[in-house]
Amino acid sequence: MTVELSHPAGLLRQSDYAPLAIGTGSRLLFLAGQTATSPDGIVEADDLAGQVYGALRYVVIGVRGGGGEAKDIARLTCYIPDWRLDKWDAVLDGVARHRSPRG
């Protein structure tokens, strides 16, 4: 499945995401929720940034296992228990770690 990202006229144009994703092709992959837990059942991080990083890492591994790549992900839902706004910086840190060349 190919995902085409689009910026329709009349919507805010941002550089870091596209507001519209159009999937074409004959494959659709659904991946169950992932955590920062290794295949051996070892929790790899006890801080929120590390948990976000690890979960994203396993999402990409799962998508690749289905024949896709991270760029093919059209939707991602995150669940953060006991959510509070003061956790946002840690979430962004985990995402940034995953997006870095070393991540």
Side-chain angles (χ1 to χ4, degrees):
M1 181 168 162
T2 301
V3 177
E4 174 190 345
L5 302 178
S6 177
H7 297 270
L11 294 180
L12 177 64
R13 184 170 183 91
Q14 296 191 25
S15 61
D16 55 347
Y17 87 101
L20 180 63
I22 304 165
T24 58
S26 61
R27 280 182 72 100
L28 185 59
L29 185 142
F30 294 92
L31 181 66
Q34 299 299 304
T35 64
T37 306
S38 76
D40 299 326
I42 299 169
V43 177
E44 298 180 347
D46 57 4
D47 64 304
L48 181 55
Q51 288 280 319
V52 169
Y53 166 77
L56 290 173
R57 193 170 141 259
Y58 287 115
V59 164
V60 172
I61 289 170
V63 169
R64 286 181 177 156
E69 290 295 331
K71 66 179 180 62
D72 298 322
I73 297 172
R75 180 176 180 173
L76 182 65
T77 301
C78 297
Y79 171 70
I80 300 170
D82 195 29
W83 171 253
R84 296 182 319 272
L85 190 55
D86 64 335
K87 293 182 177 185
W88 187 239
D89 287 340
V91 171
L92 293 178
D93 183 42
V95 171
R97 280 178 47 193
H98 186 267
R99 293 184 68 173
S100 76
R102 292 167 293 189

